Structure formats: structure tokens, C-alpha cells
Amino acid sequence: MPKDAPPNGSAPPTGIVGPRKRVSEMQAKLHRWAAADPGRRFDDLFNLVHDPATLIVAFERVAGNKGSRTPGVDGLTVAGIEEYTGVPGFLHDLRVALKDGLFRPLPVRERKIPKPGGSGKVRALGIPTVADRIVQAALKLVLEPIFETDFTPVSYGFRPGRRAWDAIAEIHHFGTKQYRWVLDADIEACFDRIDHTALLDRVRHRVKDKRVLGLVKAFLKAGILTELGENKGTMTGTPQGGILSPLLANIALSVLDEHLMGPWKPGGEMSLAWERGYRRRRGLPNWRLVRYADDFVVLVNGTRQDTEAVREDVSRVLKPLGLNLSEAKTQITNLADGIDFLGFHIQWRRKKGTEKWHVYTFISQRPIRQLKAKIRALTRRQSQQDLQSVLRRINQILRGWSAYFQHAVAKNQFSALAHFVWWRLIRMLKVRHHWTWKDIRRRFVTPQGHWRPISADGTDLFDLQTVAVTRYRWRGAKIPSPWPTIQPTTVSVESRMR
């Protein structure tokens, strides 16, 4: 589940200058050309990958990521490069290695982290070197605007300008329109098992430049240095943790999007409302895919048998990619029973006190348990950490968590969690200072009988109850392109691509 929900990807910021302006103009050109000619295969993209402006912007994005403090197999970090090598010299050497064909990705450093939910299972992340991250970021800057024109509107994960909220709003929207049967799917080890040949074939649909294809293949085949120090080959998959991995996963899984959403395209059997109504009157189902990276659901306006047929169809489409649906986690359910997706619980239920039924979006139990576990870890009764530091960390967690869930039916849950956090802190302070309940009231109740917020050195506890709960409106296909038309004012991008 995402920690928060800012726009995904790399939409160009406003007021951009210098290298960022050149890169933004280049991306707008590529995006426009790709949209104008859906069958176009781009050549000579390699010059854009090692362009100085592209590498500078790529470095800025790598340096701005929290992972910049984590070294790869070579032990280098962004801070170390800035202090000892110097960024200009490092990027110059990297550019020369790319131009001369001497650049070779190093194996990623494996790091296993526990999966959320307390299942005891772990997820393997691959940490590339800083140089590899920069080249991957440069490749993403060039490739993303091209492939964005081919991606369908129902794909929301790791795409510029799109949020997890958009995916939830789409489920809510179609759930109110009789799409009540749900294929809640889980792809088994998606990032680890994507077939390289099938993935590269998808990339070749748009990219003709053999040097760019070679770079993509080199990153896929770079290998893994395990935590035990063993070198392991990567015959399949794209390691989680790489900057390029989410884009490559979207390129591979776009096969599923195109297959299931093909009937929704102009001229398709489900493209118009009356056509979908005609199918239902004939006893034929309609369906709608909602995908966030490798997590997806298929909403079906039909029967359970229709949904089972869709499941078989999905399995057949994923098979050439080397992917399979998890038998244990993939299930067919009805919205009346509810589904959990991206941390939300979505359910078709009767409104209290009425006979009207609506689709409601609640907070799932797992993120609530995870939040409480974090708060408990910070407020252990024997903790000696100063109160201001504890409050700052709790406030960071609560603000990010509430910003993500503020569009759910969450007012009562926010109130209950605010009560939980307050009591955790009060009990910690009672034990730490040997206070009685009378001492607590003397310190935190005003002469007028109102409770003061828990605070330390000017830092007040963030009150979850003050968060405004609002509905997030479905945007669907109206989400604007992240690369509007930009008239170049510097060196022509088109001339550099010839």
C-alpha cells in the first residue's frame, strides 16, 4: 500500500529552467510524436539518454530519493560522490562510458525486508549502484513519454499524474453501475517472473534503437548479489527497487490492459452505453479492469460464472509473460461482501436507517493495525526517548497516513485512532514521570476544564480529528497528459534525434 498518494511518476514541474527545461521539451516532443503515430518505432534515442541535460536531471532525481543514502555493490552513495568525486566529473565519466559503449551495469545488492501484515514473509529488493540508478533514470526520462501514449486509462500505478485514489474512485464509480462481481487478482511473484523475451518484444514495438534495447536488456540480466555474498543470475523478472522496474512492469502488463479493455475502444462491443446495455439484455457480461502496477481487480456486470470465465481469460493472457495468478490469493467475490484494494475496503451496503444501497470506501484493517504497531513501538512505557522527538515522528506518521485515507469514510476511525494515540502517550508519561491521574489533569487541563494538547518545546501532537474527510471524484480518462505541448526555445530536439 502506498504511504501517501501524490501524483506518480515524473510530470514536469512548472517554472522549469536549464537542463530540466530541455528535458521537458524533449519529453513533450517524444510524447507528441508517439501519439501522432501509434505504429512509430523510435530510433536514435541513445543520444538523448546520454545527453548532458538528461543525465543532470536523472542525477537530481536519484539524489532526491531517500535511497540515495543506500549504497549498491560498489559502496558509493550520492553524498560520497558529491564530497569526494564531484558531480560534474562523475557525470562526465559516466557519459563517456555510455557513448563509448563501455558502460556495464553491476549486479544489484539484495536486501530482504518483511512484507506488510505481519505474515513473516519477506520481499527481496534489488539496490543498484548510483551510476546504474542514474542511467536507469535517464532511460525512464526518454522511454516514459513514448509508452505513456499506449497505456490505457485504467492503469494507475507508477504513472505520472495518477494516484491510488483514482483507482479507488474508478472501482467506486463502476460499482454503483451494477459492476458487482469482482475478480480480486494477485499475480504470483510478478516482478521476479516476468519473461525477459516477452518484455523486450513489447519494448521493441516502440523502440528501434539497438543501443537502448541493449541497455534495457543489460539491466534485466545484471544479476543479484545476495545477502550471503553469492552472485545469482537473473533469467527472469525485473528486480524491485530499480528506477526502471515499474515502467518495465507496466509495459509488460499493458498486454492485459489492451486485452481486457479492447472492447471499450471506439468501435468495440462495450464502447457505448447502449451497446453495454444491449449485451446485458442478451445475457452477455461487461467488465472493467482497474490496475495499480501488479495489483488489479476486474469488475464484472454479470454473474459469478461470467467472472470465472474472465479469470480463465486473464490466466491465458498472462501465461506468455511467464506469470500466473496466485491460487491462494486470487478470489472471486461480490461487492456486497467487500474487497480490500490498496489499503481501502470497498463495499456495496445499505445506508443505515434507509433502504438505499451505496458503494462505500472504508479503511482496511491491515493499515490500521500497521499504524497502531508503529505508534506502540514509539510509545513503549519504558522508552527514554525525549518527548519532542517522539511527537515529531508520530506527527509525521499521522499526517502522511491521514492524507492518504482522508477520502474514505474515515471520520469515526480518525477519532478512534486519535484517542488511541493520546492514551499511548499519556500512559508512557505516567510511567516515565511516576505521575498519578491527578498529576495528568493538573498539567493537561485548563482552568476552564478543557484538555490541552500534549506538547513538548513547541511541538504539539497532531490531532487526527481535525483532518477534513472529503470525497475524491473519479477522473477516468479525463486525467490530463503530463507533457503539454511546449514550443522549444533552445536547440531543436528534432534536430538532435536525426
Side-chain angles (χ1 to χ4, degrees), residues 19 85 249 255 344 390 433 442 471 486:
T85 307
V255 175
F344 294 90
V390 172
H433 300 294
R442 184 168 64 249
R471 181 174 176 183
I486 300 176

Side-chain angles (χ1 to χ4, degrees), residues 151 187 190-191 194 199 202 247-258 289 291-296 317-318 321 323:
F151 292 157
I187 301 177
C190 177
F191 281 84
I194 292 177
L199 172 57
R202 296 290 298 177
L247 175 60
L248 294 178
N250 272 334
I251 292 172
L253 292 174
S254 63
V255 175
L256 180 64
D257 305 344
E258 294 167 3
L289 170 70
R291 185 172 67 82
Y292 193 96
D294 60 330
D295 294 324
F296 69 92
V317 173
L318 292 176
L321 295 173
L323 302 176

Side-chain angles (χ1 to χ4, degrees), residues 12-223:
T14 57
I16 47 180
V17 295
R20 282 183 290 171
K21 183 175 182 179
R22 288 182 61 186
V23 170
S24 183
E25 290 174 353
M26 173 266 290
Q27 290 182 309
K29 280 274 192 179
L30 292 172
H31 188 70
R32 186 162 61 248
W33 293 339
D37 184 0
R40 178 171 180 172
R41 296 181 66 210
F42 287 79
D43 200 1
D44 202 19
L45 293 176
F46 189 70
N47 290 332
L48 298 177
V49 174
H50 67 67
D51 185 276
T54 308
L55 292 177
I56 289 172
V57 174
F59 178 83
E60 289 176 353
R61 296 195 174 173
V62 170
N65 193 297
K66 288 184 179 180
S68 64
R69 300 191 294 265
T70 307
V73 295
D74 60 356
L76 288 179
T77 62
V78 168
I81 291 170
E82 291 174 339
E83 183 176 355
Y84 300 109
T85 307
V87 175
F90 182 82
L91 292 182
H92 176 266
D93 293 343
L94 183 58
R95 181 169 185 262
V96 170
L98 281 168
K99 286 182 66 177
D100 294 346
L102 301 176
F103 174 80
R104 295 291 183 275
L106 293 175
V108 297
R109 183 166 68 89
E110 184 183 59
R111 182 178 179 185
K112 294 182 178 180
I113 61 172
K115 285 187 174 182
S119 63
K121 298 181 180 179
V122 295
R123 174 185 290 118
L125 295 181
I127 304 172
T129 64
V130 174
D132 290 352
R133 281 176 243 176
I134 295 170
V135 177
Q136 286 192 35
L139 276 169
K140 186 172 183 285
L141 288 170
V142 174
L143 296 178
E144 188 173 53
I146 296 172
F147 285 96
E148 269 295 316
T149 61
D150 299 331
F151 292 157
T152 61
V154 298
S155 167
Y156 294 102
F158 303 105
R159 292 184 60 191
R162 292 167 175 265
R163 302 172 170 93
W165 297 329
D166 290 310
I168 299 300
E170 177 137 347
I171 297 174
H172 188 283
H173 175 80
F174 282 94
T176 62
K177 296 182 178 297
Q178 307 299 320
Y179 289 75
R180 303 279 160 69
W181 282 103
V182 183
L183 171 62
D184 186 2
D186 181 88
I187 301 177
E188 195 171 3
C190 177
F191 281 84
D192 298 331
R193 297 184 181 178
I194 292 177
D195 184 79
H196 290 171
T197 302
L199 172 57
L200 289 171
D201 284 344
R202 296 290 298 177
V203 176
R204 288 190 188 97
H205 285 175
R206 277 300 201 170
V207 178
K208 191 177 179 181
D209 193 324
K210 292 183 179 180
R211 293 170 296 179
V212 171
L213 292 169
L215 264 182
V216 173
K217 184 176 181 179
F219 280 117
L220 292 174
K221 301 292 187 182

